[in-house]
Amino acid sequence: RFQACVYFASVFQAMSCGIHYLASVFMAVAPNFVCGIPGNVSSVLFYNSSESTIEDIWTLWTSTENYIVVQLENGEIWELNQCSRSKREVSLDLAYEYKGNKSIFSCSDGFLYDDTKWKSTVVTQWDLVCDREWLAKLIQPTFMLGVLIGAVIFGDIADRMGRRRVIWFTSAGQFVFGIAVAFTFDYYSFMIVRFLLAMVSSGYLVVAFVYVTEFVGIKARTWASMHVHAFFAMGIMVVALVGFLVRTWWVYQIFLSIATLPFVLCCWMLPETPFWLLSEERYEDAQKVINIMARWNKVSTPCKVFELCSVQQDDLVSGRTSDNDMSSTKKHNILDLFCNWHIARRTITVWLIWFTGSLGYYVFSLSSVSLGGNEYLNLFLIGAVELPCYIIACIGMDKLGRRNTLIPFLILSALICVLIMFIPQDFNTLIILANMAGKFSIGVAFGLIYLYTAELYPTIVRSLAVGSGSMMCRAGSVVAPFCVYLRSVWIFMPLLLVGIMALLSGILTIMLPETLGKPLTNTLVEATEMGRNKKSCSGKTPPAHSGAALEKIEMFGQETVSTEK
C-alpha cells in the first residue's frame, strides 16, 4: 500500500514531463502566410478564384510556391509571396498571370497568417518566418539541450542531496516555469524560460525513475519502472487533446502547466528513499521511513536497520583507516562510471543504447507526420502506440530478462530500417506500418534502458548513471532533427544511420550482465562483481552482508515479507 501511494504520486508528475517535451509541436507550428499588404484591399485573386478577403483564400492554398494577387483601393496591383512582394508596373487589368515588369519589395509591413487552425502561435506572434525561420527551428533543439544539461545536473544533485529534495524543486519548477512561458514578452525571454523548464522537467524524470526503483521491491520493479513511460506517453496524448481544444498558444501553455499543480501541492509529503539514507549512513532516518512503511503495509514484525547492517557497521568501526575514511566520505562524480575497464565498458555500451534509442524514437516519430489526416489525432496515436510496447517490454523483461529482451528488439529495429529501404515509395500504407513497427521496436529498447541502467549501477552513483544516460538520450534527440534533414542528401540516410546504430548497440549489449531477479547493488565493488569480475574499483573488499541487508530492506516493504525475518 505504501509503495503504491508513493509510486502513483510520483509517476503522475511524469505526465507533465511528456506534456512539456511535446508542447512545441503545436505551440511553434508555422501556418500558411504571405507578405503584408501596403494598403486597403478591394479584391483578391488566387488562380481562377476571386474573393473579397485574403482569409477566404487559405482554404485553396496548397503550396509554398503559391502567391496571391491583390488590388488595392488606389488601383495598385500586388503579388504577395511568402517572403517577398512585387508591385506590377502596369495595373490595367486584374489577372493572375502577368508577364510585365515588377518591382520587388521586402515584407516591411509584416505578414498575413492563416488563422483557421491556430489563432496564435509563437511563430505568428514574433514573425519567425523567412529570414527568421531558423529561430523557430531552434525552439525544440534548445529545449532538448536544456533537457540534456538538466539530466546530468539534477542526477548528480540527487546523489549528493537526496532524491526527495530534487523532486520537490523540479516539480515546483515545472509549474512555475511552465506558467512563466505563457507570459514571456519576446522570443529570447521565451527561449530562456523554456530552457529552464526543460532542465527541471528532465531533472524530475531522471530522479523519479531512480526514486520509484529504490522504493519498489524486485517483484514489481520491472512494471513500476516501465509504466513511468506510460504516464509520459499519456502526457503526449494530453498535448493532442489540449491542442485540439485551445488554439491560442499562451492559453494552451497555461492549460498544459496546470496539470502539474496537484502534485506540487502534495509532493512535500513524499519520504526519502531508505537506500539513499543508508548510503549516507543516516540509519535513524532510514529506520523512521521503514517504520512508516511497516505501519502503512500492516506488517507486524518490526525491521531493525541496525540489526540488518550490524555486520557492516562492525566492519567499518574495526577496520577503518584514514584512507578508508576518506573513501567513505568521497563525493562521487561522473569519473566513477569509468573506475575500471569493466565498469567503463558497461558505461560506454549503456550510453550508446540511450543515444540510439532516442535517435531512433524521434526519427521514426518525425517520419510519422507523413501519415496525413488530422494532426491532433496523429499525435494522440503517436502517444497511444507507446502503451502496448511497454507492456510487451515488461513481459519480456520478466520472462526473458533485461538483456535478452533488449538485444532482439534493437536488432529488429535495425532490420526494419533496412526493410523500409526496399519498400516501393508508392506503397504508402506499407511504409507507414513499417515505420510504426520500427517505432514500436525502438520504443521497447528506449523504455527498457531506464530500468536496466538503474539496476546496473550501485546506489552511490545510480542517479548519476541514469542522469548521464539521459544526457546521451537527449543528445540523440537534439541530433534527430538534423538527421532527418539528411533526407535531402539521400531519402533513406536517416534510416541507414538509425539501423547502423541499433545493430551496433544490439551487438555490444551481449557483453552486459543480466540483472533480472538480482538485488540492487550499493557499492561499485558489488556492481563490478555483478559482471562476474572480482577486480575492485577501490581495492577494498566489500562487507559480506551489505548487499544482503539492502535486499532484506527491499523485500521488507512488501506485504509478502516473511514473518521469520
Side-chain angles (χ1 to χ4, degrees), residues 364 416 419-420 423 429-439:
F364 281 117
I416 291 175
L419 176 64
I420 295 175
I423 300 176
T429 302
L430 189 57
I431 292 176
I432 292 171
L433 292 176
N435 273 273
M436 298 310 292
K439 185 186 177 184

Side-chain angles (χ1 to χ4, degrees), residues 70 72 166 170 172 223 265 399 421 503 546:
V70 297
L72 305 184
V166 174
T170 54
W223 287 83
L265 298 177
K399 300 299 182 181
M421 298 181 189
L503 181 62
S546 60

Side-chain angles (χ1 to χ4, degrees), residues 9 33 74 117 182 189 218 225 237 249 258 288 290 294 361 386 430 524:
F33 66 94
N74 60 10
K117 287 187 177 181
S189 62
I218 294 176
S225 176
M237 292 186 278
W249 78 267
I258 289 176
K288 292 178 182 178
I290 292 174
Y361 181 90
E386 297 182 41
L430 189 57
L524 287 166

Side-chain angles (χ1 to χ4, degrees), residues 3 57 100 119 141 150 233 255 296 306 308 357 373 384 401 435 498 530 548 553 565:
Q3 283 86 340
I57 296 294
K119 300 301 180 183
F255 272 91
W296 275 64
F306 286 101
L308 293 173
N435 273 273
V498 172
M530 184 171 60
I553 293 172
K565 182 180 66 180

Side-chain angles (χ1 to χ4, degrees), residues 30-38 54-55 58 61 68 80-85 105-115 119 121-133:
N32 295 323
F33 66 94
V34 292
C35 267
I37 307 169
I54 292 181
E55 285 73 16
W58 294 124
W61 191 274
I68 298 174
L80 305 179
N81 295 286
Q82 284 203 326
C83 296
S84 65
R85 58 187 180 180
F105 300 88
S106 62
C107 301
S108 56
D109 293 299
F111 299 88
L112 299 175
Y113 296 98
D114 177 8
D115 60 358
K119 300 301 180 183
T121 70
V122 295
V123 172
T124 62
Q125 180 156 344
W126 295 310
D127 289 335
L128 305 181
V129 293
C130 297
D131 57 341
R132 288 168 56 86
E133 182 182 6

Side-chain angles (χ1 to χ4, degrees), residues 139-442:
I139 290 176
Q140 189 64 17
T142 303
F143 184 90
M144 286 302 179
L145 181 61
V147 169
L148 184 154
I149 295 174
V152 176
I153 291 177
F154 288 106
D156 185 39
I157 293 176
D159 282 331
R160 296 171 184 268
M161 301 181 60
R163 287 65 162 121
R164 182 175 62 169
R165 292 180 181 177
V166 174
I167 285 179
W168 289 353
F169 178 81
T170 54
S171 58
Q174 284 189 79
F175 177 73
V176 172
F177 292 132
I179 296 295
V181 166
F183 295 96
T184 49
F185 52 87
D186 63 8
Y187 170 81
Y188 298 102
S189 62
F190 170 82
M191 293 292 281
I192 291 172
V193 178
R194 281 262 301 171
F195 185 85
L196 297 175
L197 175 61
M199 290 182 62
V200 295
S201 297
S202 173
Y204 181 86
L205 194 61
V206 167
V207 178
F209 270 102
V210 176
Y211 187 77
V212 299
T213 300
E214 293 183 347
F215 255 116
V216 299
I218 294 176
K219 293 182 179 179
R221 191 186 300 158
T222 301
W223 287 83
S225 176
M226 288 298 292
H227 280 79
V228 176
H229 291 284
F231 280 85
F232 185 93
M234 290 172 61
I236 298 176
M237 292 186 278
V238 170
V239 171
L241 179 61
V242 175
F244 177 75
L245 298 175
V246 183
R247 305 299 178 89
T248 302
W249 78 267
W250 61 271
V251 179
Y252 160 84
Q253 176 66 27
I254 291 175
F255 272 91
L256 291 180
S257 300
I258 289 176
T260 311
L261 187 58
F263 181 78
V264 173
L265 298 177
C266 67
C267 67
W268 60 271
M269 295 185 293
L270 294 177
E272 186 56 81
T273 68
F275 265 89
W276 184 82
L277 293 171
L278 288 174
S279 69
E280 295 292 309
E281 299 183 2
R282 293 170 55 180
Y283 299 112
E284 292 183 2
D285 292 334
Q287 184 66 63
K288 292 178 182 178
V289 175
I290 292 174
N291 289 340
I292 295 174
M293 294 167 65
R295 288 196 300 271
W296 275 64
N297 294 340
K298 297 181 179 180
V299 177
S300 58
T301 305
C303 174
K304 302 297 182 182
V305 173
F306 286 101
E307 294 177 1
L308 293 173
C309 302
S310 60
V311 176
Q312 179 182 0
Q313 287 180 312
D314 292 341
D315 178 76
L316 289 174
V317 171
S318 61
R320 182 175 298 169
T321 63
S322 60
D323 290 338
N324 289 337
D325 192 26
M326 292 176 60
S327 177
S328 64
T329 59
K330 175 187 175 183
K331 294 300 182 180
H332 297 276
N333 55 52
I334 198 169
L335 295 179
D336 290 301
L337 301 181
F338 298 88
C339 65
N340 65 35
W341 164 244
H342 300 280
I343 296 295
R345 184 178 61 186
R346 183 180 305 178
T347 299
I348 293 172
T349 301
V350 167
W351 282 4
L352 182 62
I353 298 171
W354 279 88
F355 181 88
T356 302
S358 179
L359 180 68
Y361 181 90
Y362 285 102
V363 166
F364 281 117
S365 295
L366 292 172
S367 299
S368 67
V369 298
S370 60
L371 292 173
N374 188 298
E375 59 266 39
Y376 306 103
L377 178 60
N378 289 346
L379 182 63
F380 186 89
L381 294 177
I382 286 174
V385 77
E386 297 182 41
L387 302 181
C389 83
Y390 299 142
I391 296 176
I392 296 298
C394 286
I395 296 174
M397 285 193 296
D398 279 342
K399 300 299 182 181
L400 303 176
R402 284 71 160 126
R403 180 184 61 186
N404 295 335
T405 302
L406 185 59
I407 294 172
F409 276 101
L410 282 172
I411 296 177
L412 177 62
S413 61
L415 294 177
I416 291 175
C417 289
V418 175
L419 176 64
I420 295 175
M421 298 181 189
F422 290 95
I423 300 176
Q425 290 300 296
D426 53 345
F427 284 49
N428 293 330
T429 302
L430 189 57
I431 292 176
I432 292 171
L433 292 176
N435 273 273
M436 298 310 292
K439 185 186 177 184
F440 181 92
S441 59
I442 205 71

